[in-house]
Amino acid sequence: MSATWEELGWERLAPGVGRCRLPGWDCTAGLVVGAGAALLVDAGSSLGEGARLRAAAQALTGHRVTHLALTHPHFDHVFGAAAFAGAQVYGAVGTDGMFARGGHGREALRADAEAEGLDARAAGEAADALVRVPHEVCGEWTLDLGGGRQVLLANVGPGHTGHDLAVLVPGEVEVVFCGDLVEESGEPQAGPDAVPAHWPAALDRLLELGGADARYVPGHGAVVDAAFVRAQRDALAARFGVSR
């Protein structure tokens, strides 16, 4: 690798696994390095941000991003996806339909991006360029990134949205990329596409995947532990009146 995680402002979470907190909406983007392959988790909020992530990933790995996992279809996590030409793109079942041309999904994402403060031109360009998601995960999908590095993609939703994907990176220290099912820097946001009745169960599934000693990477905020996820699960259940 030609640069270290720290030199590029990324946080190293485990060998070959790291993340960065993007400016603006404080979104997380994750990177998992294999042998000649690299998985990026979420793509940023614009084509420009996606291009910067692509450059950082290449500096860290020495090769291009080969796989892209989108944790959920919100603009701040997916609008940079078109910057990763040639990457295999993964999402939870239903994500591809939201990105299809002529559907309401692209327009809704563009409108939401503008409402949240993204420049109208950047929002329009990113919405027009949205990539399709040919690999939709129904249950679980194991990716082999080479060099003994395997990553598990798990459709754990619905919850924060109708299409929530988690990424588990096994290892001596297990890392779980949670998307916005977990937020540390503020109360979890429940928009019109949230499915509150199932959200606590989605967090139960995250805890089953990672276990008690994993590092859980929220969509926004600092890395947390299982106790934090469990407490947020209980708070969401109380907030939405969901019983076990």
Side-chain angles (χ1 to χ4, degrees):
M1 297 183 185
S2 56
T4 68
W5 301 95
E6 294 77 13
E7 286 172 344
L8 294 181
W10 286 58
E11 179 182 1
R12 183 176 178 273
L13 304 173
V17 185
R19 69 90 178 242
C20 68
R21 293 172 69 169
L22 300 168
W25 292 274
D26 189 28
C27 291
T28 282
L31 183 64
V32 185
V33 183
L39 167 69
L40 189 80
V41 182
D42 285 340
S45 62
S46 67
L47 293 174
E49 195 159 68
R52 290 188 289 274
L53 283 171
R54 181 189 65 216
Q58 187 154 345
L60 286 166
T61 65
H63 50 78
R64 69 180 183 87
V65 169
T66 54
H67 300 74
L68 173 63
L70 302 175
T71 61
H72 62 288
H74 281 171
F75 85 91
D76 47 339
H77 296 262
V78 305
F79 262 10
F84 297 90
Q88 297 294 310
V89 185
Y90 299 80
V93 166
T95 305
D96 185 58
M98 290 195 65
F99 293 176
R101 288 192 177 276
H104 297 297
R106 290 188 184 216
E107 177 58 26
L109 287 169
R110 183 202 61 75
D112 187 46
E114 287 192 41
E116 292 294 328
L118 185 64
D119 174 78
R121 181 175 178 180
E125 289 176 345
D128 288 343
L130 262 177
V131 299
R132 299 298 297 269
V133 183
H135 305 298
E136 292 195 306
V137 181
C138 180
E140 297 180 352
W141 191 317
T142 300
L143 296 180
D144 188 347
L145 300 180
R149 170 76 76 190
Q150 291 192 327
V151 176
L152 180 70
L153 309 181
N155 185 338
V156 297
H160 176 65
T161 72
H163 319 287
D164 292 310
L165 187 75
V167 179
L168 169 67
V169 187
E172 186 173 329
V173 177
E174 297 205 327
V175 178
V176 183
F177 291 95
C178 307
D180 286 4
L181 287 167
V182 178
E183 294 192 44
E184 185 275 336
S185 54
E187 186 176 80
Q189 298 300 301
D193 58 343
V195 187
H198 293 277
W199 199 333
L203 296 192
D204 286 336
R205 180 68 180 125
L206 286 179
L207 290 165
E208 290 171 3
L209 284 171
D213 298 322
R215 305 191 74 184
Y216 293 86
V217 186
H220 303 264
V223 175
V224 299
D225 59 11
F228 181 97
V229 177
R230 193 173 300 110
Q232 194 155 94
R233 183 253 179 243
D234 293 342
L236 285 166
R239 175 178 167 188
F240 297 124
V242 179
S243 59
R244 284 189 179 274

